[in-house]
Structures are given as C-alpha cells and as structure tokens.
Amino acid sequence: MDLPVDEWKSYLFQKWSLLPKSIQVTISTAETLSDIFLHTSSLLQSEDEMFLKRLSRGYLVGKDPNAPLFYREKGNKKFQEKDYMGATVLYSKGVSHSRPNTEDISLCYANRSAALFHLGQYETCLKDIIRAQMHRYPERLQPKLILRKADCLVTLGRLQEASQTISDLERNLAANPTLAASQFQILQRTLSRLKMQVQEKENLTETFPEALTKAFEDMDLREENEQISSASSSVSLCTDPLKGRYLIATKDILPGELLVKENAFVSVLNPGEMPPLCHGLESKWDTRVTNWDLYCHRCLKHTLAPVPCCGCSYAKYCSQECMQQAWDLYHSVECSLGGLLLTLGVFCHVALRSTLLARFEDVDNVIKKLCGEISNKDMCLPESKNLMQTLSDDLGGESEENGETLETPIPGCDINGKYENNYHAVFNLLPHTENHSPQHKFLCALSVSALCRQLEAASLQTLTTGLKSSQPKAAMTPGLCQELHFWGVAMLRHVLQLQCNAQAVTTIQQTGSNNNVVTNSRQLRLATGIFPVVSLLNHSCSPNTSVSFRSTVASIRASEHIGKGQEILHCYGPHESRMGVAERQQKLRSQYFFDCNCAACQNEKPRPAAGPRWEAFCCNRCRALMQGADVLSCDNTSCTEAVSRDHLVSRLRDLQQQVGMARKLLRNGKLGDWQKSATHLQKSLQVVEVRHGPSSVEMGHELFKLAQILFNGFAIPEALNTIQEAEKVLLVHYGPWNDEIQELQKMKSYLLDLPPIPAGPSV
C-alpha cells in the first residue's frame, strides 16, 4: 500500500539484477538525489512503461456508463432487505460512476436520499434531494421525492418550509393530474398525514431549539508558540549533533495538556484493500466497502453521502466545497492518474501531492531548494548564477553582517528562526539517502521517473499554473526537461523521506452490529500524512505523549507528568508494552535507521527467547520479570519471591478462559448476561493493566466497554464509578471531543437524571 504493488516491485528488482555491475555501482555510489534520479530515469524503457500501464488499467478509476444501473439495482436489493447502510454505499458507488446532469446520477442521488431518510440522516437526505433535482431528476418521479423532502422538514422542525413544500406539491398535482388513481390516493394520504404533523407541532407550547450546542468543543492551544507554529508555548525546539532536532518542555506539563495541534501539510487517504480487478472479482464492478467509500478524500471526514469528482470514479468528497478545493490544489493533475497512483503506492501519491502543493508557496524559494539537490550547475536557472550561495544564506549557512557572524538557524526554520507548517519545513525532513538500499532507491527513482513521464504526457503546464512568484512566468519555465528534473528530484526526496517521516493518520472504527449493547471498535489506519511539527518529536519505547487525530489534524497530548527541561517523546510504533527490546531495536533499525537508547531499552534486559515481553511472568510483589525453569525466581535481587511455573501456567489458563468468556458475552450483547460479562471483563482489565499500564489508552477502551455493560445493566453506582475512571484515562489521550468520551458523558447525564430509587420497606 505504501510502496508500489508487488508485480511492479518484482519487475523492477529483476531489472536491477540484470543491470551491468558498472551501472549498479554508479547508482549505488551516487552522492546526490539528482544523480540517482538522472542515472535511473535514463534506464526507463518503453516496455517498462507498457508493463506499468497494464498494471494500472487493472483499477477501475474512470466512469463506466454501465455501472450506475448495476449499483442502483444492488442498492435496491439492500434497501428491500432493510440494510439501509449497505444500500447507501452502493448508491454512492453508482453516483461516482455517473456523469453530471444525467438521469443515472439523479436516480442514484434520489435512491440514496431514501436510504438516508431511514437511517435518520435527515439533513443529509435533504442535500441529496436537492442534488437529484439539480441533475434533472425525472418529472414523473418528482412528487415522491418532494414528499420525502417535506417529511424531513417536518421531522427537523422546519415547519414553515414544510408547509410551503406541501402547498407547492398540492398545486403541482392539481395542475398536472397525470398520476394513476391508486398513486394519487397514496400521495393524498401522505400529504394529509404531514399536514396534521405540522399542525400538531405548531400547537405545541414548548419551543424546540434549532440545534444543540456541542457539549464538548476541542481545546485549542492555550498559548501558541512564537518559535514553532501549531505548538504550545510549553515546548521549545532544540538541536543536537547526534539526535538532530527535538522538543523539550519549557515548564512542568500536566497529563492531558495539549502540546501540538497541527494540520497535515499533505495527506492521502489510504485505499484499504483494493486488489486490481484482474485478481478474480466476481464482477468488474466492486461492491466491497473501502475507506474510499466512507471518508472525504480531502479532509478525511467520515461521510455517508460523498460527492464525487466529475472526471473520475475514485475521488469522493464530503461536500462540493471540499471537491472544488481539492481540484484547485492538486486533483486537476491527479484525476487522470488514479490507476497509476494506486499501482505506484501511497508514498508516490504523497510525494506528487507535496510538490503540487509547493506551487502555492513562494516558488522562488522552492526552485532554490530544488537547485540545491542538483549537482550539475547548468541545471539551475540562468538568472540564478549565485543560487548556491543564496540557498546557503536562506537555509542556514553562516554569513557575516557588519563584521558579526550570524547564528546558523535550525534546519527547516526561516531566517527569523521560526519553524512553520510549510513546504520549507517538509523539504528539510531528512530522506536518509545513504541508509536506503541501492535496490530500494532504484525502485523509488524509476517509479518517480515513470510518474514524471505520465505528467509530461498529460502536459506539465499544470505544474506551473497558479505559481506565486516575483519572476515573470517565462523565466519560471526554462524548459520541459529541466522542469521535469526539478520536480522529479523533489518527488524522489519525498518518497525517501516518508519511510521515516510519514505519519499514519488513524481513527477508531466501530465494528459488528449496531444492535450490540457493547460497542466493538478497532483502530483503523485511515491515511498517510506529513506533519512537519509532529516529525520533530523523537522516539521512545515508553513515550510521555499520546497522539490522536480528528480529520487531518494531529493532536499531541502529555500522557504523564513532564518536568521542565525533559524531552517530549513520541512512539514511532514499537512500544515496550507490545514488543520485547530485541524486536523493538530490530524494527527501529530497519525502518528508522537508528539504535534506540531510550530509558525502556536501557532498563530492559534482552531475553534469548524470541517471544514478546508479556509472555514472561511478572513478580506479584515488585512487578519485575520472573526467571527460571520449573521454579521461577524474581529477577530483582532484593526480592525473595519464588513460585512454581506449573502453578502460574494453571492460573494463566484460567484467566485466559475468563477473558474468552467475557469477549463472547460482549459479542452476544445480551442484557441478561450483563453481570457475568462485567465479572469477566473486570478480570480482563487486570491483564490489560499489567500489559499496558493503568493509564494507557488500551485501559481506557476496556473501561469504556465495562461502563457500557454496567450502564445497560442499571448498576448505577458501579457504572458511574467506571464512567469516571474511563473518562479520566481517555481525556488524557484524546481530549474532550472524542466519541467515546462524549458517549460516557451521555451515559453519566442519563444516570444522574434518573429519579432516586426508593428505599425498600423496613423489616
């Protein structure tokens, strides 16, 4: 998904193996990204491009005129089965394949509005009704659609609009009596019902608020940092020759304090499981639900009623506004490249989008940065003979002014020492060129070269449209080949950067049936993004922060007390609660090219066994690891605890059975079993606490499940206590806007509003 598909990787690795040794050595020893790109792109042959095109054609990303009817009929079956969510997704797929202003798109929008109505999504239903009418919805079907609109307006309490809609429909029916008698009678009965509902609501003395104010708004940064955009004033940016840039606390920080709130410079929605059509699907039209069907391709907002791009079937948005913004910023270039981008992987897509976004910043500086990557001075612009010196001055080289030596700014900062969320900061993220294998650099460079060839075929003029520059446009387009080389080097740099600097944007997705008493959920990798400020945080296997996402915004919060002067640390993935030290070190070395020396790695002894840390037994007294064969002794020399291995294994099996029973009861969601389920889950909490810690996000999720069980069992005191515990943990990690926290607040409000339970009769 991040890298190209396996077929393209295998093809290029074989091509690499067949290259003469001298060419392999030339690419392997190239000192600059420009040289790597130049040498590799010269090896791209027409047969390579043809093979890549065949792979790309396996993805159905265009608009197929036969697909809307197929998806509409499939959606109708789901609708008849009362699977309104499934119907909604299928109607959306039909919308995506429809051309604007056609009966196909209007019918798909209208049918989707019916499914949304049954899902209680009345505002969204109204929007789809308007869309259906805008796209020439058939006149013969209009009465039914207008009735649905009136029904929505009545339900939403918009009574004046509802009355007007009903009156308009009655006039139209009187003026055009074309309906059959039976249909007319059904319409009349529905109109009478709606008019009665309007009168009943108008006669109510209570006024209904138009909308409830959100109970919890996400907190912004209390005081923004003058040195680092999107960061709190509680942190400061430092640099070190060994560990590079890092953040430290400028004061004591409490658990839950918001330290960074940053919008992604660039993000690309992960397609999820999307094998090409040639991989044996029952139909050439895919009915599976993926991320691309449920989330906006620009802002990542969850949406049940996406608005599609007019030119392709794969890009979908939460609104017309998001669609237009995406088109203006990058999708006008990407639209025709959907199959190619799916084949080349998310990293290539992020790299392309980053360079497209760079067009909207000061292009003079962008070109200077790119010239800095090009060893051949002739490739630089003719007006910029001293660009290397200018680049050095702009990006941190020491210079003298009035006899005084100016301090070298931290990489990524501007000349005033400010670090911002912009292309300059993104460009200065390290690509670690020297650490990537020659084969990997060849794969990335040739993939970028193939992408550049396609851009050239689609006219590279789009790359320079709308550029901000102080120079005349003619001076900014010195030639197609030169332009391709500039942007190709930039994209190669970004692809290599992403292995260490890409941030997985995640969300919590509910799984299982909506009828379950207890919500099942899993963490879903939603998108890949670049967050320049978040990238400043160094790794620890036992971090003092927690990251969460809302749309394209990353929030970093302190997960524990952080003292003044301490480093702000983030976990890149390998965590001490999930992996042993040897496995963590191996993963960090292979992906991030460093040997972790954090406190957790220093304090934890490597074990010869390959299993993860939690497979070892823990001392009941001091929590240190137990060592030994038949009889285990505490690893802590000051502790005398010893216990039989058989005894501990027996207890572990019993606990595993209890946890398994708890999960089974949770899946079944039967209220009658709530006491058993709560008992088993409380035992499961003991395992979670030992494995992840009492304040971990995993503990928060388990407490949330227990709160749901106790709430549904009307165990009021126990439920309120558990809600408080869950809220305390989850607030630290997510802040008040989180769905689980808001659900906890609703449960608490409901329980507190209950009348007191009368005491029983005295005996």
Side-chain angles (χ1 to χ4, degrees):
M1 184 166 57
D2 289 334
L3 296 175
V5 296
D6 290 340
E7 294 89 340
W8 180 242
K9 282 193 290 186
S10 299
Y11 179 88
L12 290 189
F13 287 154
Q14 183 181 19
K15 184 180 178 76
W16 169 264
S17 68
L18 297 174
L19 289 175
K21 192 69 177 176
S22 59
I23 295 179
Q24 288 186 1
V25 170
T26 299
I27 294 173
S28 301
T29 57
E31 295 183 357
T32 68
L33 287 173
S34 175
D35 290 338
I36 295 170
F37 183 72
L38 196 63
H39 293 308
T40 305
S41 59
S42 67
L43 300 172
L44 184 65
Q45 304 297 318
S46 59
E47 56 265 30
D48 304 331
E49 294 184 78
M50 289 302 298
F51 181 76
L52 184 58
K53 283 181 180 178
R54 283 200 300 273
L55 292 176
S56 302
R57 282 197 292 265
Y59 294 97
L60 183 61
V61 293
K63 291 187 183 291
D64 188 328
N66 298 314
L69 177 61
F70 168 82
Y71 284 121
R72 200 165 70 247
E73 289 177 345
K74 289 285 186 182
N76 291 344
K77 287 181 182 178
K78 291 284 185 184
F79 190 92
Q80 290 163 6
E81 295 166 2
K82 300 189 185 308
D83 180 2
Y84 301 118
M85 186 66 74
T88 299
V89 173
L90 289 166
Y91 292 141
S92 294
K93 287 178 179 287
V95 168
S96 297
H97 279 279
S98 302
R99 291 288 177 187
N101 299 315
T102 61
E103 185 169 300
D104 276 334
I105 197 169
S106 68
L107 290 172
C108 286
Y109 273 135
N111 287 14
R112 192 171 74 180
S113 75
L116 291 166
F117 181 85
H118 284 279
L119 289 170
Q121 302 291 321
Y122 303 114
E123 291 283 5
T124 312
C125 174
L126 285 173
K127 290 178 182 178
D128 264 5
I129 290 170
I130 293 169
R131 289 169 185 145
Q133 292 174 325
M134 283 174 56
H135 290 278
R136 303 176 185 174
Y137 188 64
E139 195 66 34
R140 68 185 186 279
L141 302 175
Q142 285 281 353
K144 192 174 180 181
L145 193 66
I146 296 171
L147 272 179
R148 191 177 304 136
K149 177 182 178 181
D151 219 340
C152 284
L153 292 169
V154 171
T155 306
L156 292 169
R158 291 158 60 176
L159 305 181
Q160 188 172 351
E161 292 175 74
S163 297
Q164 184 63 51
T165 302
I166 292 168
S167 299
D168 292 343
L169 179 56
E170 286 179 322
R171 279 196 300 272
N172 288 339
L173 289 174
N176 303 291
T178 55
L179 291 175
S182 58
Q183 291 178 305
F184 185 76
Q185 288 175 1
I186 293 171
L187 280 174
Q188 287 290 0
R189 284 199 298 269
T190 307
L191 280 170
S192 299
R193 174 179 61 81
L194 288 173
K195 286 195 285 188
M196 285 180 62
Q197 287 180 341
V198 170
Q199 288 174 359
E200 288 170 2
K201 290 201 172 192
E202 285 176 340
N203 292 333
L204 289 175
T205 54
E206 183 182 356
T207 58
F208 292 88
E210 290 185 4
L212 294 174
T213 305
K214 283 186 179 179
F216 302 100
E217 289 291 341
D218 193 15
M219 295 178 295
D220 282 323
L221 297 166
R222 291 180 183 173
E223 187 178 341
E224 191 152 345
N225 198 303
E226 293 183 0
Q227 181 193 20
I228 316 162
S229 70
S230 310
S232 158
S233 59
S234 302
V235 302
S236 179
L237 176 59
C238 303
T239 186
D240 180 87
L242 294 178
K243 61 183 180 182
R245 301 169 299 180
Y246 62 99
L247 298 180
I248 63 165
T250 57
K251 66 178 187 64
D252 287 348
I253 295 171
L254 297 175
E257 185 175 334
L258 186 60
L259 304 178
V260 175
K261 186 178 179 183
E262 182 183 24
N263 198 8
F265 173 79
V266 62
S267 63
V268 169
L269 184 66
N270 287 344
E273 294 297 322
M274 284 192 68
L277 299 173
C278 55
H279 284 197
L281 292 175
E282 293 179 7
S283 161
K284 69 173 182 175
W285 298 304
D286 192 3
T287 58
R288 294 164 304 166
V289 182
T290 68
N291 290 353
W292 282 21
D293 299 309
L294 300 175
Y295 295 90
C296 177
H297 285 225
R298 179 183 169 272
C299 72
L300 307 183
K301 178 182 175 183
H302 185 270
T303 177
L304 289 176
V307 178
C309 168
C310 295
C312 66
S313 64
Y314 70 93
K316 304 164 192 174
Y317 305 94
C318 64
S319 64
Q320 188 74 24
E321 292 73 24
C322 252
M323 182 185 74
Q324 190 60 51
Q325 288 177 33
W327 182 265
D328 293 341
L329 291 171
Y330 47 78
H331 191 64
S332 56
V333 176
E334 297 176 356
C335 185
S336 62
L337 303 175
L340 178 65
L341 293 171
L342 279 169
T343 306
L344 294 181
V346 171
F347 280 3
C348 262
H349 197 163
V350 173
L352 170 62
R353 192 169 288 183
S354 297
T355 56
L356 293 173
L357 291 171
R359 302 174 301 160
F360 296 94
E361 294 189 16
D362 184 354
V363 78
D364 297 346
N365 281 325
V366 173
I367 295 295
K368 289 174 189 176
K369 296 182 187 79
L370 295 175
C371 280
E373 283 293 334
I374 296 176
S375 57
N376 182 359
K377 301 295 189 297
D378 294 336
M379 290 297 295
C380 293
L381 299 180
E383 305 83 16
S384 307
K385 294 179 181 177
N386 297 319
L387 265 179
M388 293 300 106
Q389 182 59 46
T390 307
L391 181 67
S392 175
D393 293 343
D394 282 356
L395 302 186
E398 289 188 0
S399 60
E400 292 187 4
E401 185 175 319
N402 299 326
E404 297 181 5
T405 301
L406 302 178
E407 184 180 352
T408 302
I410 295 173
C413 294
D414 61 21
I415 56 175
N416 298 314
K418 176 121 187 212
Y419 188 90
E420 297 190 84
N421 179 314
N422 57 20
Y423 187 72
H424 177 56
V426 171
F427 191 87
N428 277 277
L429 297 173
L430 293 177
H432 295 283
T433 310
E434 69 283 0
N435 292 313
H436 292 284
S437 70
Q439 294 93 329
H440 182 73
K441 286 184 279 194
F442 180 75
L443 168 69
C444 295
L446 211 60
S447 296
V448 169
S449 298
L451 180 55
C452 285
R453 293 275 181 93
Q454 286 299 305
L455 287 170
E456 183 179 17
S459 175
L460 194 67
Q461 294 302 318
T462 50
L463 272 174
T464 54
T465 302
L467 288 171
K468 287 195 218 170
S469 173
S470 58
Q471 300 184 30
K473 188 172 180 181
M476 295 311 302
T477 53
L480 192 59
C481 291
Q482 178 175 331
E483 197 75 33
L484 273 172
H485 190 79
F486 280 138
W487 297 108
V489 171
M491 282 190 276
L492 177 57
R493 180 181 179 89
H494 297 320
V495 171
L496 296 178
Q497 284 173 336
L498 285 163
Q499 179 165 320
C500 296
N501 293 287
Q503 180 68 52
V505 180
T506 60
T507 188
I508 300 297
Q509 186 180 66
Q510 292 186 7
T511 59
S513 169
N514 292 332
N515 298 323
N516 285 356
V517 170
V518 177
T519 302
N520 292 316
S521 61
R522 66 184 180 97
Q523 189 176 66
L524 172 72
R525 182 179 173 183
L526 185 59
T528 298
I530 298 179
F531 298 81
V533 176
V534 174
S535 292
L536 295 172
L537 274 71
N538 280 329
H539 167 81
S540 170
C541 300
S542 181
N544 51 21
T545 63
S546 183
V547 62
S548 61
F549 298 91
R550 190 180 191 188
S551 183
T552 56
V553 177
S555 295
I556 303 282
R557 287 181 168 80
S559 58
E560 59 187 54
H561 178 270
I562 303 173
K564 181 179 179 180
Q566 278 187 257
E567 186 173 355
I568 311 298
L569 297 166
H570 173 43
C571 181
Y572 292 177
H575 195 284
E576 66 166 344
S577 70
R578 294 185 286 271
M579 299 178 191
V581 61
E583 186 182 2
R584 298 199 307 269
Q585 293 276 2
Q586 187 274 326
K587 285 186 176 292
L588 290 166
R589 195 177 297 116
S590 63
Q591 181 173 351
Y592 295 98
F593 312 121
F594 72 89
D595 292 312
C596 185
N597 198 33
C598 72
C601 288
Q602 288 180 326
N603 296 335
E604 185 181 337
K605 294 181 180 178
R607 300 195 338 274
R613 177 171 174 258
W614 62 84
E615 288 183 1
F617 289 107
C618 189
C619 176
N620 195 43
R621 287 185 183 176
C622 67
R623 317 309 293 171
L625 295 179
M626 303 289 283
Q627 304 281 357
D630 294 336
V631 177
L632 300 177
S633 301
C634 181
D635 198 38
N636 185 352
T637 54
S638 62
C639 181
T640 58
E641 182 79 358
V643 65
S644 160
R645 180 182 289 275
D646 289 341
H647 174 69
L648 290 177
V649 168
S650 175
R651 287 184 58 192
L652 177 62
R653 285 175 182 162
D654 179 62
L655 190 56
Q656 287 171 334
Q657 289 177 354
Q658 301 275 8
V659 172
M661 182 63 70
R663 294 189 186 281
K664 183 178 179 181
L665 291 169
L666 286 172
R667 281 195 301 271
N668 294 338
K670 294 177 181 176
L671 280 175
D673 295 327
W674 76 266
Q675 287 179 313
K676 286 183 182 178
S677 188
T679 301
H680 291 305
L681 190 55
Q682 283 165 338
K683 293 183 178 181
S684 174
L685 280 167
Q686 297 172 19
V687 178
V688 175
E689 183 173 353
V690 169
R691 180 170 167 179
H692 297 287
S695 300
S696 64
V697 68
E698 292 84 0
M699 192 70 173
H701 292 314
E702 291 299 302
L703 285 167
F704 174 71
K705 292 178 184 177
L706 180 58
Q708 287 182 307
I709 292 170
L710 296 170
F711 174 82
N712 285 291
F714 279 94
I716 298 174
E718 295 88 347
L720 286 170
N721 287 335
T722 306
I723 287 169
Q724 186 175 356
E725 288 182 60
E727 200 178 358
K728 181 180 177 182
V729 174
L730 292 173
L731 271 170
V732 167
H733 296 281
Y734 292 121
W737 56 265
N738 176 260
D739 290 341
E740 289 185 349
I741 291 172
Q742 296 204 22
E743 181 64 26
L744 289 168
Q745 288 286 343
K746 290 176 185 175
M747 289 192 287
K748 182 165 68 175
S749 297
Y750 178 82
L751 293 176
L752 292 174
D753 288 342
L754 288 174
I757 300 174
S762 302
V763 178

